[in-house]
Amino acid sequence: MTLTALSANHRFLLQQSWDHLCYLEQSLAQFDAEIDSHLEPYRLEVELIRSIPGIDRTAAASILSEIGADMLRFHSERHLASWAGLSPGNNESAGKKKSSRTSSGNPHIKSVLVECAWAASRTKRTYLAAKFWKLAARRGKKKALIALAHKMLIIVYHLLHRQQPYLDLGEDYLDTLGRDSKAKRLLRQLKSLGYDVPSESHPNEAS
């Protein structure tokens, strides 16, 4: 169907829809410019948060607007996680397992971080993606997303506190960590059986 085949009413409605679309795009551009002006003093903090896989500029701005740039306002990383509603509840009491639902908190930061966690889980050859799929195999994808969102918030806390960008550990880090833990456990078992086993520090261990 050509434009000339359209009735006058159809052409009017199309023109109104086009004008409205142009208005929305112009409004979005104005909002973006206004947000950028407010973010200018926090350019470093935004870039630090963006260094984490799965977090783009829009998400970084949202996170920063919710938690602020000064991490001294939170007593610790646990305080921040609890405030954000991403701190796992106490799920065990007197040997009885209770609900492991996260605590209530700021729904905005929680929602953004869960979206970021999903984006991070789809990145290639990263520690966060490897962590997600390892958790998902044991707990399911929904719980793994919450756990990864919690971990990413903790990372944000330390990046802003130390003013240092994120350094990815790599997808093989968890496997290496598992081998190291197993080796240490076997060494302890040998020592408990009376074998004289020399202690050697692993090159990945902090000195």
Side-chain angles (χ1 to χ4, degrees):
M1 180 183 294
T2 63
L3 186 61
T4 56
L6 294 175
S7 67
N9 288 337
H10 288 154
R11 288 197 297 271
F12 172 78
L13 292 174
L14 285 173
Q15 185 64 51
Q16 293 300 310
S17 297
W18 175 255
D19 291 343
H20 184 61
L21 180 61
C22 292
Y23 166 76
L24 292 177
E25 290 181 346
Q26 183 181 9
S27 296
L28 288 174
Q30 291 174 347
F31 274 112
D32 286 340
E34 183 69 13
I35 291 172
D36 287 342
S37 67
H38 288 287
L39 285 176
E40 184 61 28
Y42 306 101
R43 183 186 299 179
L44 173 61
E45 287 78 5
V46 170
E47 293 305 313
L48 289 175
I49 298 174
R50 283 188 63 193
S51 67
I52 304 173
I55 300 182
D56 60 15
R57 191 173 188 279
T58 301
S62 297
I63 293 170
L64 189 64
S65 68
E66 294 294 335
I67 68 175
D70 184 8
M71 293 299 98
L72 292 179
R73 61 185 291 227
F74 299 103
H75 300 309
S76 65
E77 60 185 45
R78 292 183 178 181
H79 180 205
L80 173 58
S82 177
W83 175 85
L86 286 169
S87 179
N90 183 12
N91 63 350
E92 188 170 337
S93 177
K96 296 181 180 179
K97 191 172 182 61
K98 298 182 179 180
S99 171
S100 57
R101 292 180 180 177
T102 55
S103 57
S104 59
N106 187 313
H108 306 294
I109 184 69
K110 185 175 181 179
S111 176
V112 171
L113 282 166
V114 168
E115 291 181 10
C116 292
W118 177 242
S121 72
R122 302 168 70 182
T123 56
K124 296 185 180 299
R125 305 185 67 83
T126 66
Y127 163 76
L128 292 176
K131 181 68 175 178
F132 170 80
W133 291 110
K134 186 171 184 177
L135 289 171
R138 300 199 323 263
R139 306 183 190 177
K141 291 184 179 180
K142 290 184 178 180
K143 290 184 178 179
L145 277 177
I146 295 295
L148 192 64
H150 170 265
K151 178 167 289 291
M152 292 175 74
L153 180 60
I154 300 304
I155 293 174
V156 168
Y157 172 87
H158 287 290
L159 296 188
L160 294 179
H161 184 69
R162 300 172 183 172
Q163 294 288 284
Q164 295 178 347
Y166 176 77
L167 179 62
D168 193 79
L169 297 172
E171 63 177 339
D172 298 328
Y173 175 76
L174 292 173
D175 292 334
T176 302
L177 195 64
R179 290 194 297 268
D180 291 346
S181 299
K182 185 176 181 179
K184 290 177 181 179
R185 185 173 66 254
L186 292 175
L187 284 174
R188 288 195 298 268
Q189 290 177 354
L190 287 172
K191 289 181 180 179
S192 67
L193 293 173
Y195 291 94
D196 185 15
V197 181
S199 299
E200 296 183 1
S201 60
H202 193 275
N204 283 340
E205 294 176 354
S207 58

